Amino acid sequence: MQLYYGDILPHLPALLTGLAISIAVSTAAAFAGAAFGIVLYLGRASHARALQALAGTYIEVVRNTPLLLQLYLVFFALPQVGVNLDPVAAGIMALTINNAAYMAEIYRAGFESVPNGLREAGGALGLSGRDTFLRVLLPPAVRNVLPAITNQTILLFLASSVTSVIALPDLMHVMLGITSTTFRTIETLTVGGVLYFGVAFLIASISRLVETRVIKWKVA
């Protein structure tokens, strides 16, 4: 079998469009999941047992079920109760639901790594619980788990390829369409893999730059 990439060249604009959609969907899910993850973490760290149980149950259920199952439930089950979502919205929601559970555990590890002395210092300075959390605890916690956040972001981007099963026109969906028309399966998957790798490598590089140039301090 002889490889020939010439048949793929006319489809490069479609591949790049699919890549842009993959980036947009995963970026939206990354930010939404990061915000929701903080809420889940606060619920799990709360002194209210009901909130602890609710947040803990959510995290365990999501982390121990396949993303594909969650995607199917969002896209096919919600319409049964009157909530109809297009593939893009369904993809973002499913990825957000999944990402939030993992981010909550990353935050938990980060906050547990912050020395108790900082919490006591916030109280000694008369800061409110909110200000202590945002100004004293959050920066070092995020710094300590930045590599974990980066890994989760990369995994989220790569996992966005699952949304192709609900006809979301992401990179994977475009790749499968090209293979069905050109029959250049290896060539198409190779080019798509390079595009996925390029974005993942860029995310990792930006994270290292932030860690070394922007966040130059670390709480031990």
Side-chain angles (χ1 to χ4, degrees):
M1 181 182 63
Q2 184 177 3
L3 298 180
Y4 177 67
Y5 288 88
D7 292 340
I8 310 301
L9 292 178
H11 299 279
L12 281 180
L15 287 169
L16 294 176
T17 299
L19 177 63
I21 293 175
S22 294
I23 293 174
V25 168
S26 55
T27 299
F31 281 104
F36 188 28
I38 292 179
V39 175
L40 289 173
Y41 163 74
L42 292 175
R44 191 158 192 174
S46 171
H47 296 295
R49 292 189 175 182
L51 290 178
Q52 288 182 9
L54 185 62
T57 300
Y58 177 97
I59 292 171
E60 293 305 320
V61 168
V62 171
R63 291 177 68 223
N64 291 283
T65 54
L67 172 59
L68 184 59
L69 172 63
Q70 298 161 16
L71 179 63
Y72 278 151
L73 287 175
V74 169
F75 191 67
F76 294 111
L78 288 183
Q80 303 300 318
V81 294
V83 180
N84 295 292
L85 299 175
D86 59 56
V88 173
I92 292 175
M93 177 177 288
L95 291 172
T96 297
I97 290 171
N98 185 271
N99 186 43
Y102 288 94
M103 289 299 296
E105 287 298 282
I106 291 174
Y107 289 140
R108 183 174 66 84
F111 284 110
E112 288 181 354
S113 69
V114 177
N116 289 327
L118 287 182
R119 295 180 175 87
E120 296 170 357
L125 292 173
L127 297 178
S128 65
R130 177 177 176 274
D131 286 339
T132 299
F133 175 79
L134 293 177
R135 299 184 179 183
V136 179
L137 302 181
L138 185 60
V142 171
R143 170 62 179 81
N144 290 343
V145 295
L146 183 58
I149 293 176
T150 300
N151 289 338
Q152 176 58 25
T153 303
I154 292 174
L155 289 173
L156 178 69
F157 168 67
L158 299 178
S160 68
S161 61
V162 175
T163 59
S164 62
V165 301
I166 60 172
L168 193 155
D170 69 334
L171 177 56
M172 180 61 71
H173 186 268
V174 174
M175 289 164 56
L176 295 176
I178 294 173
T179 59
S180 66
T181 58
T182 65
F183 300 103
R184 293 290 180 180
T185 303
I186 296 178
E187 294 89 333
T188 303
L189 295 181
T190 301
V191 173
V194 170
L195 293 176
Y196 275 118
F197 172 81
V199 174
F201 184 80
L202 179 62
I203 294 173
S205 299
I206 293 174
S207 175
R208 285 194 294 269
L209 181 64
V210 170
E211 187 174 356
T212 57
R213 299 292 181 86
V214 179
I215 307 177
K216 298 182 180 180
W217 49 270
K218 181 177 181 180
V219 178

